[in-house]
Amino acid sequence: MRMTGLAFMNFRNSFKNCLSLVASLAFTIVIFLNFQNLIYSDALIQLGEKNKRNMDTVIQVISIVLVCFMFFFIWYSTNVFLTRRKKEIGIYIFMGLTNQRIGKMYMIETALIGLSALGFGIFFGIVTTGLFQMILLSLSELAVEISFRPVFTPVLVTALAYLAIYVIFVIKGYVDIVRSSVLSMLTGARQNEYVRQSRALLFLRALAGVAVLASGFYLAVKKGGPEVLENAVGAVVLVILGVYLLFGGLLPLVFQWVAGNKRFLYRRERCLWVNNMIFRMKKNYRTWAMVCVLVLCSVTALATGFAARMRYENMEKFEKVYTFQLLSDQSDLDERARKLIEESTQIAYSSFLPITTLSESQIRTTTRYTGYALTSYSALRELAREAHLDFDLTEPGAQEYIKVSNVILFSLYTDVTAETAEIEGKVFRQTQRTQAPYLGYLQQRHITLFVLGDQEYEKMRSIGKQLYIYNYSIADPNAFVSAREALGELVAQTDDYYVGRVSVDPLSDGERNWVKVLYSLCVFMFMVFILASASIMFMKLYNDSFEERERYLIMEKMGFDAGALGRSIGKELAVAYALPLLVMGVASYFSVHALQMVMSADLGMIHLVSVLVVVTVFLVCYGLSVMVYRRNAGV
Amino acid sequence: MNQNKVAEVKNLIRNYGPRGFQTKVLKGIDLTVYQNDFIAIMGPSGSGKTTLLNILSTIDRPSQGTVMLGEQDIAGLSNKELSRLRRDKIGFIFQDYNLLDTMTLQDNIALPLSLNGVSGGECVRKAQELASMFGLSEHLKKYPWQLSGGQKQRGAACRALITDPEIIFADEPTGALDSRSGRELLECLKRVNERGQATILMVTHDPFCASWARDVYVLSDGLIRCRISAGAQRREFYDRIIEVQTSMGGDFS
Ligand SMILES: Nc1ncnc2c1ncn2[C@@H]1O[C@H](COP(=O)(O)OP(=O)(O)O)[C@@H](O)[C@H]1O
Ligand SMILES: [Mg+2]
């Protein structure tokens, strides 16, 4: 009982000190709760069944990412707290308390912190859910009614996930205290965290880091088939591991070298700030590695969001290339169709393509498609000319084909020539593939074209059924309904006469609203990760700055003016901010490159913009940190 | 002896406390330090030794009186100018060492020189030279927490000496040391002084410590009561200091 009292008193007295811990824990809870709430709230149900299902998958994935994020974040913040508290509560050793009891006290104290953070987090989480949904949906340009009624399940899920992780680290802290020696508990903070390891070991670690990173990058940019997804997951794990190894090996090694090379070290303030960095090396490199990974995540999230949106817009455009498409076994419908449409509006452009349809038993491909058809190279070229579409394909030779397929959000086949098709027992090799919308909606939903060379096509055309596709795009989108009605008289199906029709309202909305939500969720993730990494950096430097006060006081007595000390702080912090950014810059190139392949979109600009945003945020944070650091250190 | 004045105070008065309730800590001190002096200011605890030293070393300002460092009156100087003056002309040895715990002994010693923009090679050379003079050559790679108090204080002395300051101020340099470490430090300081490499003004309450100096001023009740100069024998000098101390009846410990 008395110990509980003591722990409680500690908690109350040091509440100001714990504030940063409570705030950061509550922050993760707020974020997590908001995302969970999306799953269980009815806002997304209004988007329709299909959208809702897709969205839930996305949110599940994001939840997993967030759980990992929460795990690392709690690990980090409790660890910072532990090292600070260890010294303070270590004093109780003089009062005759055993390690076990001190550990127990720490547990009670951190439990109180954790619970108050949970309280704050849930409270602010519930308060912000409405706001979050509102911003999210308006960012996604969706009109959906939002209920501000809090739902119980997400709160429960969030609390359980958080507590499960938190308890792990509270116990870890307890074990840590029980195991540590009296001496280390009292002098822990004074001794430096200089990674005193042999050069060879550090070198090996750095080398391993480079190797692991390189293999991660290799996996990320490797072309291949469906294994691309596993590769991507592997790449993520390898990159995270590699970053840790690299930071843990290379940095101590480099700094050790600098500290040993006195001629280089003794250059104005360098001696000061390099030693400061070495002094906290362990904490430094862990923080930097974590920030690096977080920033990498944030850049990747933004790139994903933009890529998805771009793809989405492409798909929309794709399906709206033609307003009407007729599919018939008759080859002379064009004139009649044209007349019927022109009763209502002008035709902007039209095109025509003869095809040979194949049944699924006639063709075997590496992946399955919906609907197979053959066509000839020159017929497709003629269609492209009529529809004003780009055409830069070269005619395939014997036993070769070009695949004309639909646009999908993610495509796992990143290697073009890895696919083959077996038509009537004959193996054809794929030379090129294109996703140009030659057949618009039909191509997106129903037909995959295998384009053969003209001679080859002549030989093969007899194996399937001959069909003709007529495409029309109208000039006035408002005339859609009347033109559609007029065309109706053509549509028919008898034994020897067949005309099918597809109409796409140029003004309608698609069923892919969830992509818009995905896009805004990604933007949110981007901001969450940036905020988290910036605040981790800031928090760490904020804590460090208090330790510096004593040192700078000595320096000032010795007559070193604020200018020199300020410059030293400026350089130290600049290195601290620049290092994770630098590694992130390299790593993000690969992650964006991988995304680029999977989504076949050009993400160079987005990559540049997101990196610039991160750099700007870090610059602001850097300026702020220098200011606060100087104030706290008394310079 | 005809020598350059390094520091001079005239009619120095220092009060503490709010107007009307002020206590006079220093009541009019006159003191001149010449080049290559080794002066100890001795006095009981609370007699104002640290106050005097802080004013001389420009960390504190006088209430009245003039303080000259070299040719310069410090009264009109801004904080920035004062800190430059400290950097260029003054070396410090503090009672609690005040080494930076983030760096090795060698880095600690070389730091002031390197901050002054001296080349790395020169810093290394001077640091090693001083370290060997103070018997620290084997400890250069160690961090402060790996050193004994005596080693730390000798390191602090090296740090104070490395910029060739015009004067070194030491406040109770042996205060935290056992007698052997204290003697080692003082021996080193004396040797440096005798080689003409340093002017030292030391403050102490300990007659044994003071006996290493060439002149001892006794401070009591805010005034310098007397000056004792060393003879040929340190032993005999020590006895004379004790004699004066007992005759004044102050509590010196
Ligand atoms: N900043 C201050 N404010 C008020 N009184 C002070 C201050 N600094 C020192 N004093 C007083 O001045 C007297 C001399 O202090 P000090 O110079 O530290 O003595 P010592 O000779 O022991 O070094 C003491 O009585 C002390 O209480
Ligand atoms: Mg004193």
Side-chain angles (χ1 to χ4, degrees), chain B residues 14 16-17 23 25 43-52 60 171-172 203 219:
Chain B
R14 182 66 169 103
Y16 280 121
T23 47
V25 177
S45 182
S47 59
K49 304 181 299 287
T50 300
T51 308
L52 174 60
D60 197 3
D171 188 355
E172 310 265 12
V203 146
L219 186 69

Side-chain angles (χ1 to χ4, degrees), chain A residues 457-473:
Chain A
Y457 181 66
E458 280 309 314
K459 278 189 261 167
M460 301 292 289
R461 61 185 293 178
S462 55
I463 63 169
K465 194 173 164 204
Q466 291 294 303
L467 287 178
Y468 305 92
I469 299 175
Y470 306 80
N471 308 304
Y472 304 95
S473 176

Side-chain angles (χ1 to χ4, degrees), chain A residues 262-468:
Chain A
K262 301 298 180 194
R263 270 163 208 276
F264 181 76
L265 183 67
Y266 297 154
R267 277 288 295 282
R268 300 240 167 220
E269 301 89 23
R270 195 177 288 160
C271 181
L272 209 57
W273 65 263
V274 167
N275 275 312
N276 264 351
M277 294 218 135
I278 295 173
F279 187 66
R280 279 187 282 269
M281 187 44 92
K282 220 153 136 193
K283 199 160 69 178
N284 279 341
Y285 87 72
R286 283 187 183 157
T287 311
W288 294 339
M290 177 157 170
V291 166
C292 179
V293 169
L294 277 179
V295 176
L296 182 62
C297 285
S298 103
V299 168
T300 312
L302 193 68
T304 310
F306 269 98
R309 197 184 170 93
M310 258 158 53
R311 281 299 259 201
Y312 164 76
E313 277 161 5
N314 278 345
M315 277 152 81
E316 281 281 295
K317 257 197 246 144
F318 199 103
E319 296 191 352
K320 289 181 178 167
V321 169
Y322 304 115
T323 323
F324 302 111
Q325 293 186 285
L326 301 176
L327 183 66
S328 173
D329 51 6
Q330 306 294 307
S331 61
D332 54 355
L333 287 177
D334 186 43
E335 213 158 306
R336 285 171 62 200
R338 211 170 264 279
K339 240 186 216 140
L340 289 171
I341 295 171
E342 279 172 348
E343 283 169 15
S344 316
T345 171
Q346 291 286 311
I347 290 172
Y349 54 86
S350 62
S351 66
F352 171 75
L353 188 74
I355 59 170
T356 302
T357 55
L358 301 175
S359 66
E360 293 205 359
S361 58
Q362 287 177 294
I363 182 166
R364 265 223 307 281
T365 46
T366 323
T367 31
R368 291 171 62 84
Y369 298 100
T370 47
Y372 298 94
L374 302 178
T375 193
S376 75
Y377 175 76
S378 47
L380 190 70
R381 191 177 52 198
E382 178 59 17
L383 173 139
R385 196 187 54 76
E386 287 171 344
H388 313 297
L389 293 165
D390 289 335
F391 187 84
D392 54 358
L393 306 169
T394 45
E395 184 167 358
Q399 310 252 331
E400 286 179 347
Y401 70 93
I402 301 166
K403 188 182 72 190
V404 180
S405 65
N406 55 356
V407 175
I408 48 173
L409 210 51
F410 303 93
S411 135
L412 296 181
Y413 274 89
T414 47
D415 187 358
V416 179
T417 51
E419 282 184 85
T420 54
E422 195 181 321
I423 306 170
E424 293 272 284
K426 233 163 114 184
V427 176
F428 283 70
R429 198 169 61 80
Q430 176 170 304
T431 56
Q432 275 173 295
R433 68 173 175 203
T434 176
Q435 292 172 343
Y438 295 124
L439 287 182
Y441 188 91
L442 278 179
Q443 181 183 333
Q444 177 68 2
R445 299 294 173 101
H446 302 291
I447 295 174
T448 305
L449 275 180
F450 291 79
V451 184
L452 305 178
D454 290 354
Q455 288 179 357
E456 194 81 29
Y457 181 66
E458 280 309 314
K459 278 189 261 167
M460 301 292 289
R461 61 185 293 178
S462 55
I463 63 169
K465 194 173 164 204
Q466 291 294 303
L467 287 178
Y468 305 92

